[in-house]
Amino acid sequence: MGPAEREQLAALGERVTAHPVHEPERFCRQARALVREVPAAVVERLWEFERDGSDSGVLVLRGLETGELPPTPADNAGGLGGATLLGRQQAVLSHALGHVLGYAAEAHGHLLQDMVPNRRLAATQQSQGSRVELEAHTEQCFSALRPDYVVLGCLRGDADAATYAFRGAELAAHFEAEDLLELHRPLWTTLVDESFADFLDTREVRGPFPILSGDPEDPVLLVDQDLMHGITARAQALLQRVLEVYVAHRSAVVLQAGDVLFLDNLRAMHGRSPFAPRFDGTDRFITRGFVVRDLRRSRSARPGGQRVVQASFS
């Protein structure tokens, strides 16, 4: 971001006065109303990303102001990051791509969630893990109401924490025609993510689904290294090859304070490297949001028109 764009976006963030945890609907309305005032070059780049994606499946805006920050919390209960200046700018920019939604089973249903290292969850495949690699996945691969975009605002970075991404179109380029046909067939089932354990039966088997679908030149991608299984031996072997190609060719970005990363959750899988937190209030602090293009599609899953998708519909 240039100095002028940085200053303009910070000023827009200051004008979002509603609190994302306590006033989610007002927060979103304020943020969306400000999209028309985002610098034209920034909006055009976001719309270009929406239309064409990117080689990696992510777009990073770098150099935004973070504002005054609280210490990195020990867990995601407070939803502190969304109320920061960066979190409010993130909300405005996110609404250029669609609508920000929360999910009841994700970080207490907060619109913008604190992704921070949690000592108790360090070795888990959850956003608060740190000790192990966060394996390749599509966000909420098991749900028909999965978000179209995942947005990560970096309040504090960690030099060892790389965010990985790999686009479906790039994956397809590494397979012969016969195997590509198989990847487009519904041959894989998934379980429900353990972060939904308080709401859903995580042993429930869903599917089968294809790994690739839609336009062969720009396919929709559905992968989860931890939850997905092939229903045949060949399908399981293909899934293993998909993961090997991902590891060999994935893109990596180390988020810095003031970065906002947009991930196309339809076009790309993603993950994160392990890192070593200190648990002293200065650790990596990410505020995560989810964006959908069509708000009406989840209307029945949000009683009363609220901004949170109830877990029983996920």
Side-chain angles (χ1 to χ4, degrees), residues 158-182:
D158 187 302
D160 294 326
T163 298
Y164 300 128
F166 190 54
R167 194 180 182 204
E170 296 300 312
L171 173 69
H174 292 274
F175 286 84
E176 299 297 330
E178 184 177 351
D179 286 337
L180 274 177
L181 287 175
E182 290 294 287

Side-chain angles (χ1 to χ4, degrees), residues 33-50:
L34 293 170
V35 171
R36 64 176 67 94
E37 299 183 46
V38 173
V42 176
V43 171
E44 288 294 337
R45 188 65 189 89
L46 286 166
W47 287 349
E48 180 184 323
F49 178 64
E50 177 186 24

